[in-house]
Amino acid sequence: MPEAPAGSGPRRRAVLAAALAPLAASGCSGGEAPRTPAPGAQAGPKDALIMVIRHAEKPYAGDVGRDAEGEDDPGSLAGRGWRRAEELPRLFPPARGSSLPRPAAVFAAGGKRDAPARCQQTVTALAAALRTPVRTEFAVGAEAALARAASAAPMPILVCWEHSGIPRLVSALGAGEVPGVPATWPDRHDLVWMFTRRQGQWSFRELPQHLLPGDV
């Protein structure tokens, strides 16, 4: 039988197979569908949108706060703080003219100190408007655990926290070195810090609430 011409038939197929073997091993062979990651392979971090607010105004020195029943309580919000808490739902859908995305989950500081009570009071009206329970299983100081839980929860997320713990939360999220993020929370109660992660990269925006007279 005459020998097949070079470059055709079984011999050519064998040469092509040998040439493509390294590409096939790396998952890059021509026309091959993308491979599913092997079990246990690490996927990149999911996209995220996490909004952070400080609890509303507390009593100034010499003043006293009020609890939810209107009784004097130095660990609760001041009158202006309660007004801010009542207006907070205007920032989010379903409120008309809302400027921020509707949170799928709301976190507030837990525990028995003053700051956790104020954080929970700040988001009570909002949680009722959203028909969303407030997650309070993390106390101030447990920002690393909070960051893990928030990152795993459905997005977007709203966190109401004590101001001194917010930089620790930002660091635990991996956003501490993002350009524009202040090192500390300013002496204000009328801000929203918005952290957005896309393709593993965080970005930051600071937004005014504009809820009460005197808000900047």
Side-chain angles (χ1 to χ4, degrees):
M1 176 180 298
E3 185 178 347
S8 64
R11 182 179 178 185
R12 181 172 183 271
R13 289 195 293 271
V15 171
L16 285 174
L20 290 174
L23 294 176
S26 64
C28 299
S29 56
E32 184 177 326
R35 294 188 176 190
T36 303
Q42 289 285 336
K46 71 175 185 178
D47 290 351
L49 196 164
I50 297 177
M51 297 167 284
V52 181
I53 61 174
R54 181 184 183 179
H55 64 68
E57 285 86 343
K58 64 182 181 180
Y60 292 105
D63 196 4
V64 66
R66 301 284 188 275
D67 63 17
E69 285 70 43
E71 300 294 329
D72 289 358
D73 178 15
S76 289
L77 296 175
R80 182 177 174 85
W82 280 109
R83 292 193 294 275
R84 183 176 303 284
E86 291 166 1
E87 295 294 327
L88 195 63
R90 293 200 290 114
L91 292 178
F92 307 95
R96 287 188 175 184
S98 55
S99 57
L100 297 174
R102 177 175 179 148
V106 177
F107 291 80
K112 299 181 179 180
R113 297 167 56 192
D114 293 348
R118 294 177 185 133
C119 290
Q120 294 167 38
Q121 292 166 354
T122 299
V123 295
T124 295
L126 174 63
L130 298 176
R131 299 181 180 180
T132 299
V134 180
R135 294 184 57 175
T136 61
E137 65 263 42
F138 303 103
V140 174
E143 287 80 15
L146 169 63
R148 290 191 296 270
S151 297
M155 296 292 163
I157 298 295
L158 176 70
V159 177
C160 183
W161 212 248
E162 198 271 336
H163 74 282
S164 67
I166 291 177
R168 294 193 297 268
L169 171 60
V170 174
S171 179
L173 289 170
E177 302 301 320
V178 174
V181 178
T184 60
W185 187 277
D187 187 21
R188 293 174 60 179
H189 300 268
D190 61 340
L191 296 173
V192 180
W193 283 7
M194 181 179 291
F195 296 90
T196 304
R197 183 170 60 201
R198 294 284 184 269
Q199 298 181 342
Q201 299 295 317
W202 285 105
S203 60
F204 168 74
R205 294 177 65 195
E206 182 180 90
L207 305 171
Q209 294 181 7
H210 289 161
L211 293 174
L212 299 178
D215 283 2
V216 178

